[in-house]
Amino acid sequence: MRVLIVTNMWPSPERPELGSFVRDQLEALRSLEDSELELECFAFAPGGYAAAARDLRREWGKQRFDVVHAHFGLTAWPSLVVPAEVHGLTLHGTDLRHRRSRLITHAALPFIDLLGAASPDLAGKVPGYPKRAVDVLPCGVATDRFRPLDRPQARAELGLQPDGRYLLFPADPARVEKRFDRAQAIAARCGAKLLTLGSVDPQQVPLWVNAANAVVVPSDSEGFGLAVLEALACEVPVICAPTGVHDAATRGIVGADCLPYNEQAWSELLEVSLGDANRRIVSRERADQFSAQRMAERLLAAWRTHLASPLDSAAARNEENVEPTPWD
């Protein structure tokens, strides 16, 4: 199977955090024991879609792939210049929520054979769903990189106080939908120092997660919910709003709370973790269910099914022996 991945989300020296989850998925796909899978990747900076189409046509336009799969709705348009048996697209959130992006994304959907969304919640926002089939195809969490690390050592490497009370807001504060204002209010109420991520190199993020007493994710919306899964993979307590896959990911795990934002209620729950510098949660097994490796297997099964015939993805997973995820 010959596959071309097209994405405008890819790490760069200026933005090392951009699209690291897409890169993780590509690496997971390449690690699969499938000698027939031949992968190529075309990544370009956000914007510049016309130039991307020209470059794609020049490099790949005279070749034919089994699958050309784009990440992010606007990227579907340049990906269509490359001939393929199946054109796929994974939607990540902003492509359906931002007014301009939504209109351009909607216009591309009739030309897409395999349509995926990063979560069941996001799939429900696709026009025509559920009559229009939408596979749930997230990129997953890199559980090889996100794992429990010694908290005192992580704090020492980051120059943090060994006995500090730290909460981590695992996003760029400038992203309004992530609700940095809520995280600030919680930290102030708890008397904790609020750590944030923005342009932090993805290789350093596991240190920040493990250094925190707890991770706080009060987002209005999430396409998937990768930050929560990264906390679970590191066995660090986490509290999150019910969006994306948060509820399915945290359900039944003590110290992983998913509930509507309420400053008092969230503060009381977080105090348990802030009062115990060594607290960890039993959550690694749950994170493994959302790993980049398992999500890569899920994507490969969807490609195979759509190449054979437009059957539903459940049949594909049965034939490929792909384990169901918590939302199946």
Side-chain angles (χ1 to χ4, degrees), residues 98-110:
H98 186 278
R99 182 178 179 277
R100 180 174 176 274
S101 296
R102 182 175 67 247
L103 292 173
I104 299 172
T105 297
H106 285 186
L109 298 186

Side-chain angles (χ1 to χ4, degrees), residues 9 24 60 63 71 104 116 166-167 181 196 201 226 249 259 295 311:
M9 298 182 293
D24 290 340
W60 308 110
Q63 303 185 40
H71 282 276
I104 299 172
Y166 293 109
L167 297 176
D181 58 323
T196 67
D201 189 307
L226 191 59
L259 68 162
M295 297 303 103
L311 300 176

Side-chain angles (χ1 to χ4, degrees), residues 83-165:
E85 293 295 321
V86 171
H87 279 97
L89 170 65
T90 297
L91 302 170
H92 288 273
T94 306
D95 37 15
L96 289 179
R97 296 191 180 106
H98 186 278
R99 182 178 179 277
R100 180 174 176 274
S101 296
R102 182 175 67 247
L103 292 173
I104 299 172
T105 297
H106 285 186
L109 298 186
F111 305 100
I112 299 300
D113 306 300
L114 168 58
L115 182 58
S119 69
D121 182 51
L122 192 60
K125 294 177 171 58
V126 174
Y129 179 86
K131 185 176 181 180
R132 162 106 199 219
V134 181
D135 285 34
V136 179
L137 300 172
C139 289
V141 58
T143 51
D144 57 338
R145 191 166 72 248
F146 287 90
R147 63 188 188 279
L149 302 173
D150 182 74
R151 181 164 292 152
Q153 182 177 342
R155 291 186 173 188
E157 289 190 40
L158 296 173
L160 301 175
Q161 295 297 320
D163 57 350
R165 289 163 60 90

Side-chain angles (χ1 to χ4, degrees), residues 11 65 68 72 109 160 209 266:
F65 287 83
V68 173
F72 194 72
L109 298 186
L160 301 175
V209 175
W266 281 39

Side-chain angles (χ1 to χ4, degrees), residues 279-297:
R279 189 187 189 204
R280 294 283 179 161
I281 61 177
V282 182
S283 54
R284 178 75 181 183
E285 184 177 344
R286 181 67 56 78
D288 285 337
Q289 294 180 314
F290 294 88
S291 71
Q293 186 81 14
R294 286 192 60 184
M295 297 303 103
E297 293 169 354

Side-chain angles (χ1 to χ4, degrees), residues 237-255:
V238 60
I239 189 166
C240 55
T243 182
V245 297
H246 290 173
D247 181 66
T250 59
R251 192 179 302 135
I253 298 176
V254 177

